[in-house]
Structure formats: C-alpha cells, structure tokens
Amino acid sequence: MVYVKRDLEIILKKRLDAPEILAILGSRQCGKTTLLKHISKNLKSVKFISFEDPDILHLFEEDVKVFAEFYLKNCKILIIDEFQYAKAGGQKLKYIYDTYPNKKLIISGSSALELTIQATKYLVGRIFIFYLYPFNFCEYLEYKDKELKNNFFLKIQREIKEKCYQLSDNLPNLPDALCKRLAILMDNFIVYGGYPRQVTTNDTNEKKIVLRNIYITYMLKEIREILNLSADYELSKLVKTLSLQIGNLVVLKELSNFTNLGYERLLKHLNILEKTFVVKLLNPYYSNKLQELVKSQKVYFYDSGFRNIIIDAMGEANLRTDTGALYENMVFSELVKNGVIPKFWRTKSKAEVDFILEKHNHLVPIEVKFNLNSITLNRSMINFIKKYKPTAAFVLSRDFYGIRKFENTVVYFLPLFLVNCVV
C-alpha cells in the first residue's frame, strides 16, 4: 500500500528515545500498521510482530517471561500490532516494562476498550497514548494533490490562522481558482471520508467496496471476536439510526424505543461505538442551567465515508439533502483529529451554535453553513456573541470568504477547508 505521510509520524519519532511505552489507538484500517511499518524501516534493532498471529498471542498470554526473552533478546525496540487481542495485556506489559528497562515497546490497537480501561490501570506513568484517525483533510491532500498542498494550502492556512490569532480585520487574498479546486476536493472528502485504502484508489466502485468491507470487518472482528457481542444486529440497527441523526440532539428515550434497546443496554452500545472510534457524543456548553441545555448530547461520526456507506448514501455532495449535516460532521472530525473536543450551545428557546471551543480561557463559537454568499450572522450567533462576548467567532461554509465586526467580536467567514484555522 502507498504510504502517505501522517501528522502523527513526527510526534511518534520525537518519543522514540523516551522510556515510556507508546500506544497508538484508532479504528480498523485507519493506517496504524502502515505507519508503524514505515517508522520501523528507519530504526535499528527493531522487531515487528502482530497479535493476529495466534502462536505469538498464545505465547504472550501463557508465558510472558518466555515471550519477553524470545522477542526482546535481539532487539531494542519491539512493536506489537493488533494488541487488542491480548487478555490482561496491561498487566503483562507492566512486567516487560519493569523487567527490561532498556527496551522500547510500541503497541497499537483498533479498540480503545482494552487499552484505555484495562491496560492503563497497570501502566500509570509508563505509557503515552496517541490516537490515529483516518486521514484529515491535509493528509488527504498529501495524496490527492501534493503540489497544491505544499505550494498553496499550507501557506495560506498558516497566514490566515496567524491573522485570526491576532484578531486582524484584514485577511490575505484567497485566489478564486485555487479556492474552487480545494472546495471540489473537500466535497469528495466528505462523501468518501479519509480511510487510506479508499483514498488511494480512484475507482468509485472500489471505494464503495472498500468502505463496505471496513464496516463488515468492524462488525465481525471488532464486535463479535474482541468484544464478544453476539447480538451485533442490535448495534447495527443503532449505528444506522445514528447515521441519520448526525448533528442532531440524541434523545435517549426515543432512541431506545426505536431500536428496541432498554436504557442500560442502549448506553452500553453507545459506549461501544464511542470506544471503537465510530461515533462521538458531544456535550453542551452552558453557564445558565435554567436557560441552556445541560444534559442533551449531539452525535457525529469520526469518518463521514463510514457513515455514508452504512446508509448507502454515496451521492455527490452538492446533490444531497444532507450536505449541511456532512459539512458539520467534517468540522467535528477535523477538530477531533487536531486533538480538540468541541461542545455545542443550545438554549431552551432553541437558539443554537454548532460548535464551541474553549481556548485559553476564551470561548470560540463556530457556525457551519452549506451555502453562504454574504457576511450575515444568524440570530443564534448574534445571541451568543451578546451573551458571552467572544473576541473571535467563525462562520464556515463551502467557499465564502470574508470578515466583519459585530460589537467587539471579529467574525471570520472562511471556506470549510480552512477549518484548522480556528484551532
């Protein structure tokens, strides 16, 4: 498979000399194995193994001392892929870490359950956890149009981000032709998502086959084999229901009735979907419990292609009825891939701002629009600005670009592909 440079690669390389175990978590087929094999090519005295090999896994589970002696004897760095298959993996890793202090351990796993809940209680102070997601838009450009990315996109993104940080009321010029090229690439990105295998093929039918296979594999291996959830049809029905509600409030009672899942079972299934990097439930931002929502949550998918294949909705972005929801989902996904978990704001009178970031003791409201052709603010954004007085606010749409000042807030109108300027 073609290797596309990942942002996480630089971060991991900086940690190779640190004593802590490195753990890379992420959904199936998001590129963890490819990334680790690429990094290992340039390392000396490294051994790469996978717990998908039953013999290796059996030895680790039955006799960790023999396992360590055999696999650590002639290497300085041991990479263990597919670590989620290991039972009591954290306790055994602790033994290896404490017994072989001069060895470096790197592990990866497709499910967050074992690594974050079971493993870390034994590995406090011994492990750094990193998350690898499907491609973000910048990584997507690395493969689709590297020249556009390096010669224009990164430069203009850096300039605009600096202007926004300085609360400048003057933005650099954004050439219309290049803006349109990026918008077209973005439209494709929100339909098919960022899973590497489908990005690196140009055949539309093959993209759909790849995405369908990712979903099927997730249900068969992640849900049945690893989590031992025999009633995977329940989870399948739930995830299909949620795929039709991206960006909407999740009403647990209604969701329970529709999926025929009891309340406790519903919560368990939602937790599974979150821990396996399928969906994320966002919490509201509030300061007044009487006027603003406190407990309600909104649902988004980590990858829009995964979501779209579930409901077999792979039509062009500009011909869909859910384009606005997909744009909103892309903003969520890009923020998360940058290590930011946003909130949303909604009053009991139904005023709503799509995303709220809490940055350096400042609130940053973000509104997402499908089509926009003027520097107008909706009533909800106006209400939020009047109430919380942020220094900057953002309105993201397909390709509109502009700036205005409302009261003491500088409002930046940016194309959706420049979402990282808000971080």
Side-chain angles (χ1 to χ4, degrees), residues 27-30 133-136 140 189-196 198-199 211 214 243 246 277-280 300-310 314 326 329-330 332-334 336-337:
S27 61
R28 284 191 171 276
Q29 300 187 46
C30 69
Y133 302 101
F135 289 159
N136 60 35
Y140 176 81
F189 182 65
I190 69 169
V191 172
Y192 292 99
Y195 276 97
Q198 71 79 18
V199 169
L211 287 170
I214 290 174
S243 68
I246 53 173
F277 308 101
V278 173
V279 303
K280 178 69 178 175
Y300 294 97
F301 278 67
Y302 282 95
D303 185 80
S304 55
F306 187 94
R307 176 265 182 182
N308 289 337
I309 203 66
I310 290 172
M314 310 302 294
L326 285 175
N329 197 90
M330 179 189 170
F332 154 78
S333 180
E334 290 294 295
V336 169
K337 290 169 186 176

Side-chain angles (χ1 to χ4, degrees), residues 246-247 280 282-285 298-300 324-336 340-346 352-358 363-369 381 384 392-394 396 416 419 422:
I246 53 173
K280 178 69 178 175
L282 293 192
N283 295 318
Y285 176 84
K298 289 171 66 174
V299 63
Y300 294 97
L326 285 175
Y327 279 12
E328 198 174 316
N329 197 90
M330 179 189 170
V331 172
F332 154 78
S333 180
E334 290 294 295
L335 291 174
V336 169
V340 178
I341 303 297
K343 294 182 179 180
F344 69 96
W345 180 73
R346 185 177 171 112
E352 181 175 353
V353 174
D354 294 325
F355 299 106
I356 305 297
L357 305 188
E358 298 175 84
L363 297 179
V364 181
I366 305 168
E367 188 68 20
V368 184
K369 297 295 181 184
M381 179 65 89
F384 185 90
F394 293 86
L396 306 176
L416 200 64
V419 58
V422 311

Side-chain angles (χ1 to χ4, degrees), residues 339-388:
V340 178
I341 303 297
K343 294 182 179 180
F344 69 96
W345 180 73
R346 185 177 171 112
T347 67
K348 293 182 179 179
S349 60
K350 298 185 179 180
E352 181 175 353
V353 174
D354 294 325
F355 299 106
I356 305 297
L357 305 188
E358 298 175 84
K359 274 179 65 178
H360 311 300
N361 297 319
H362 292 284
L363 297 179
V364 181
I366 305 168
E367 188 68 20
V368 184
K369 297 295 181 184
F370 174 29
N371 284 318
L372 194 67
N373 52 26
S374 64
I375 52 174
T376 57
L377 298 175
N378 63 27
R379 178 56 56 185
S380 293
M381 179 65 89
I382 289 172
N383 288 342
F384 185 90
I385 291 174
K386 287 182 175 181
K387 180 177 176 64
Y388 288 104

Side-chain angles (χ1 to χ4, degrees), residues 61-204:
E61 293 183 335
E62 292 299 316
D63 197 329
V64 69
K65 293 182 181 179
V66 174
F67 171 90
E69 290 172 4
F70 183 79
Y71 285 106
L72 289 171
K73 184 176 181 180
N74 296 315
C75 73
K76 293 182 179 180
I77 302 174
L78 178 62
I79 300 176
I80 307 175
D81 199 18
E82 304 291 355
F83 186 79
Q84 73 275 1
Y85 287 107
K87 297 176 182 177
Q91 191 171 7
K92 292 180 173 63
L93 277 181
K94 178 181 181 298
Y95 166 80
I96 297 174
Y97 179 90
D98 292 341
T99 308
Y100 296 85
N102 296 321
K103 304 291 185 177
K104 183 69 176 181
L105 293 173
I106 304 175
I107 62 176
S108 74
S110 62
S111 170
L113 292 175
E114 170 67 15
L115 288 171
T116 58
I117 297 174
Q118 300 298 329
T120 52
K121 68 181 181 182
Y122 297 104
L123 299 172
V124 174
R126 299 176 175 87
I127 190 169
F128 290 142
I129 296 177
F130 302 94
Y131 296 93
L132 185 69
Y133 302 101
F135 289 159
N136 60 35
F137 186 65
C138 190
E139 291 168 334
Y140 176 81
L141 286 179
E142 172 75 14
Y143 180 80
K144 289 295 184 179
D145 198 331
K146 191 172 183 178
E147 184 178 350
L148 176 64
K149 172 196 166 186
N150 292 333
N151 294 341
F152 173 72
F153 178 75
L154 291 178
K155 181 173 180 281
I156 196 69
Q157 181 178 253
R158 184 168 54 251
E159 290 178 1
I160 293 175
K161 188 172 184 177
E162 184 177 343
K163 292 286 187 179
C164 295
Y165 180 78
Q166 296 171 349
L167 297 177
S168 172
D169 57 3
N170 181 32
L171 291 175
N173 179 52
L174 188 60
D176 187 59
L178 294 179
C179 184
K180 287 181 178 178
R181 280 176 63 186
L182 286 164
I184 291 171
L185 286 165
M186 181 201 65
D187 284 344
N188 186 275
F189 182 65
I190 69 169
V191 172
Y192 292 99
Y195 276 97
R197 177 64 182 82
Q198 71 79 18
V199 169
T200 54
T201 179
N202 293 319
D203 185 273
T204 300

Side-chain angles (χ1 to χ4, degrees), residues 180-416:
K180 287 181 178 178
R181 280 176 63 186
L182 286 164
I184 291 171
L185 286 165
M186 181 201 65
D187 284 344
N188 186 275
F189 182 65
I190 69 169
V191 172
Y192 292 99
Y195 276 97
R197 177 64 182 82
Q198 71 79 18
V199 169
T200 54
T201 179
N202 293 319
D203 185 273
T204 300
N205 289 327
E206 188 174 349
K207 287 178 179 290
K208 294 176 183 178
I209 292 171
V210 169
L211 287 170
R212 194 168 289 112
N213 180 67
I214 290 174
Y215 176 64
I216 292 171
T217 303
Y218 167 75
M219 283 297 175
L220 291 178
K221 296 185 75 68
E222 199 80 4
I223 300 306
R224 288 187 185 177
E225 290 185 16
I226 299 172
L227 301 178
N228 296 316
L229 185 64
S230 58
D232 53 291
Y233 67 92
E234 294 180 348
L235 199 70
S236 178
K237 185 174 183 179
L238 175 59
V239 77
K240 286 181 180 179
T241 303
L242 292 173
S243 68
L244 297 171
Q245 299 184 21
I246 53 173
N248 292 336
L249 293 177
V250 175
V251 182
L252 294 179
K253 185 177 180 180
E254 292 179 4
L255 200 55
S256 176
N257 291 337
F258 188 80
T259 57
N260 295 318
L261 290 170
Y263 184 76
E264 294 299 325
R265 195 165 181 80
L266 173 63
L267 292 181
K268 176 185 176 182
H269 284 19
L270 287 172
N271 183 60
I272 288 171
L273 291 175
E274 287 201 271
K275 292 297 183 182
T276 52
F277 308 101
V278 173
V279 303
K280 178 69 178 175
L281 297 175
L282 293 192
N283 295 318
Y285 176 84
Y286 63 91
S287 63
N288 188 323
K289 293 183 178 181
L290 296 178
Q291 298 179 355
E292 300 165 328
L293 296 191
V294 175
K295 295 182 179 180
S296 298
Q297 295 177 302
K298 289 171 66 174
V299 63
Y300 294 97
F301 278 67
Y302 282 95
D303 185 80
S304 55
F306 187 94
R307 176 265 182 182
N308 289 337
I309 203 66
I310 290 172
I311 57 174
D312 195 23
M314 310 302 294
E316 295 181 24
N318 61 340
L319 301 177
R320 303 170 64 115
T321 59
D322 62 350
T323 306
L326 285 175
Y327 279 12
E328 198 174 316
N329 197 90
M330 179 189 170
V331 172
F332 154 78
S333 180
E334 290 294 295
L335 291 174
V336 169
K337 290 169 186 176
N338 274 279
V340 178
I341 303 297
K343 294 182 179 180
F344 69 96
W345 180 73
R346 185 177 171 112
T347 67
K348 293 182 179 179
S349 60
K350 298 185 179 180
E352 181 175 353
V353 174
D354 294 325
F355 299 106
I356 305 297
L357 305 188
E358 298 175 84
K359 274 179 65 178
H360 311 300
N361 297 319
H362 292 284
L363 297 179
V364 181
I366 305 168
E367 188 68 20
V368 184
K369 297 295 181 184
F370 174 29
N371 284 318
L372 194 67
N373 52 26
S374 64
I375 52 174
T376 57
L377 298 175
N378 63 27
R379 178 56 56 185
S380 293
M381 179 65 89
I382 289 172
N383 288 342
F384 185 90
I385 291 174
K386 287 182 175 181
K387 180 177 176 64
Y388 288 104
K389 298 176 175 50
T391 55
F394 293 86
V395 180
L396 306 176
S397 62
R398 186 177 187 273
D399 53 17
F400 186 74
Y401 187 57
I403 190 171
R404 68 170 286 187
K405 197 163 186 179
F406 179 77
E407 297 191 348
N408 293 317
T409 301
V410 184
V411 184
Y412 297 99
F413 294 78
L414 302 180
L416 200 64

